[in-house]
């Protein structure tokens, strides 16, 4: 192995094809998109160099401000819900269900493999108010409460989106965090129990610190995915009512492909990229600070 890794030709043969594909599929389009931020127009009307005009427009665009606020709110709420419930499920699998958790893990994981459109249609039917009440409004009527137009206001529509996405993804994070928990040495847990640690004290002082690497990976994976949310919002509310549930990705898509403003759409995409990068760096620095204190 040392002989192979020390041979530059062998390294080039092994890494070269993957690096070439990554460059063509990821790096070149990214650089090309950054170039578009200094232009306006599209392939039909031709591109015209406008300098920093797109960035000036970006700073004063109220639609971008609203989309950014929704994206940040969505990312925080969904990330906390996904990782918290996923960690709770992982603890349930390891310490309660133990070896009999296989069926439960499969059932809870199943929603993540369903098509997003199918899940969105399911939730639309569950929460609809017209032409007939869905399951949720029917239950409200049974208890003497009036039906709610869940998709008629931004707050209630956001609640349905959050509920749907947390329900879909918590099983995935449960399995991901479960993989980290099962690697914790059993003798270390038993030693902590003999020393009097149990319940929340065991989780707080033993389980969480030992599972911190996989927990950190889950946080980064989740927050980057939620900042780039697109399909679930598009399928469930299409950004409505109005623009109350429009994330940056949806506004970028509409700007670029509906209105043909590729340059301005690329500027929004660059803003989203910087936002994901900042969130990742923040999580890394925060975790490193916690480890230093520990």
């Amino acid at each position: 192995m040392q002989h192979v890794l020390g041979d530059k030709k062998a390294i080039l043969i092994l890494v070269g094809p993957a690096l070439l594909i990554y460059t063509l599929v990821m790096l070149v389009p990214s650089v090309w998109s950054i170039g578009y931020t200094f232009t306006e127009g599209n392939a039909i009307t031709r591109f015209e160099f406008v300098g920093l005009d797109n960035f000036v427009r970006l700073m004063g665009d109220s639609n971008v401000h609203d989309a950014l606020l929704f994206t940040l709110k969505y990312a925080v709420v969904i990330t906390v819900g996904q990782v918290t419930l996923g960690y709770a499920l992982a603890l349930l699998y390891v310490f309660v269900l133990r070896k009999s958790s296989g069926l439960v893990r499969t059932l809870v994981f199943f929603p993540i493999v369903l098509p997003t459109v199918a899940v969105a249609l399911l939730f639309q039917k569950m929460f609809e108010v017209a032409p007939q009440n869905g399951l949720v409004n029917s239950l409200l009527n049974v208890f003497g409460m009036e039906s709610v137009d869940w998709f008629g206001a931004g707050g209630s529509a956001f609640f349905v989106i959050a509920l749907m996405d947390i329900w879909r993804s918590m099983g995935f994070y449960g399995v991901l965090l479960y993989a980290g928990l099962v690697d914790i040495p059993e003798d270390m847990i038993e030693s902590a129990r003999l020393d009097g640690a149990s319940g929340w004290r065991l989780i707080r002082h033993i389980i969480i610190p030992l599972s911190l690497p996989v927990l950190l990976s889950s946080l980064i994976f989740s927050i980057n995915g939620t900042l780039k949310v697109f399909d679930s919002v598009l399928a469930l509310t299409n950004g409505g009512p109005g623009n109350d549930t429009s994330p940056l990705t949806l506004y970028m898509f509409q700007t670029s492909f509906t209105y043909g403003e590729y340059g301005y759409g690329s500027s929004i995409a660059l803003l989203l990229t910087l936002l994901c990068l900042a969130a990742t760096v923040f999580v890394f620095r925060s975790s490193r600070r916690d480890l230093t204190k520990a």
Side-chain angles (χ1 to χ4, degrees):
M1 180 62 70
Q2 291 293 335
H3 177 70
V4 173
L5 294 178
D7 188 343
K8 293 183 179 180
K9 291 183 179 179
I11 294 175
L12 182 62
I13 293 173
L14 293 172
V15 180
L19 185 60
L20 177 62
I21 294 174
Y22 179 80
T23 301
L24 294 176
V25 175
M26 297 294 296
L27 296 183
V28 171
S30 297
V31 174
W32 203 289
S33 178
I34 293 175
Y36 278 141
T37 61
F38 301 101
T39 67
E40 69 175 6
N42 52 58
I44 298 176
T45 62
R46 296 185 179 181
F47 294 97
E48 179 182 350
F49 181 78
V50 295
L52 300 177
D53 287 358
N54 285 323
F55 297 102
V56 174
R57 177 183 172 186
L58 193 70
M59 296 300 176
D61 191 342
S62 60
N63 289 328
V64 169
H65 301 161
D66 293 340
L68 178 61
L69 287 175
F70 174 82
T71 301
L72 292 174
K73 180 174 72 170
Y74 175 90
V76 171
V77 172
I78 305 303
T79 296
V80 171
Q82 287 176 343
V83 178
T84 301
L85 291 179
Y87 200 73
L89 285 171
L91 292 172
L92 177 69
Y93 299 153
V94 174
F95 296 106
V96 179
L97 299 178
R98 298 180 182 273
K99 294 182 179 180
S100 60
S101 66
L103 178 60
V104 178
R105 274 184 283 140
T106 302
L107 292 175
V108 178
F109 183 86
F110 183 69
I112 198 68
V113 304
L114 295 176
T116 302
V117 174
V119 176
L121 288 174
L122 172 64
F123 273 74
Q124 282 180 349
K125 290 298 181 181
M126 287 177 59
F127 286 89
E128 72 177 353
V129 68
Q132 62 183 13
N133 283 336
L135 176 63
V136 176
N137 280 323
S138 297
L139 290 175
L140 292 178
N141 295 158
V142 169
F143 290 100
M145 292 179 279
E146 295 184 358
S147 299
V148 177
D149 185 4
W150 295 96
F151 300 105
S156 55
F158 176 80
F159 170 78
V160 179
I161 294 172
L163 183 64
M164 181 185 76
D165 281 342
I166 291 174
W167 173 77
R168 283 188 69 221
S169 56
M170 66 180 185
F172 170 79
Y173 287 95
V175 172
L176 182 63
L177 291 164
Y178 169 79
L181 292 181
V182 294
D183 286 337
I184 298 176
E186 186 67 28
D187 56 349
M188 190 173 295
I189 297 176
E190 289 300 326
S191 298
R193 284 173 173 164
L194 291 174
D195 290 337
S198 62
W200 171 244
R201 290 181 60 193
L202 178 65
I203 295 173
R204 170 67 181 84
H205 297 288
I206 303 297
I207 305 301
I208 292 180
L210 292 176
S211 61
L212 193 58
V214 69
L215 187 58
L216 176 63
S217 300
S218 299
L219 282 172
I220 294 173
F221 192 79
S222 176
I223 200 165
N224 274 279
T226 52
L227 286 172
K228 294 181 287 188
V229 61
F230 177 76
D231 52 351
S232 58
V233 173
L234 180 66
L236 186 63
T237 66
N238 197 26
N243 293 321
D244 288 348
T245 59
S246 289
L248 281 172
T249 50
L250 183 57
Y251 186 49
M252 174 192 67
F253 175 82
Q254 292 172 339
T255 300
S256 300
F257 301 107
T258 302
Y259 306 119
E261 300 181 32
Y262 289 175
Y264 190 52
S266 297
S267 301
I268 300 172
L270 181 60
L271 172 62
L272 184 61
T273 301
L274 295 176
L275 189 63
C276 292
L277 179 62
T280 302
V281 172
F282 174 77
V283 173
F284 265 123
R285 290 181 65 88
S286 299
S287 63
R288 186 173 299 176
R289 195 177 301 118
D290 292 340
L291 289 174
T292 303
K293 290 180 179 179

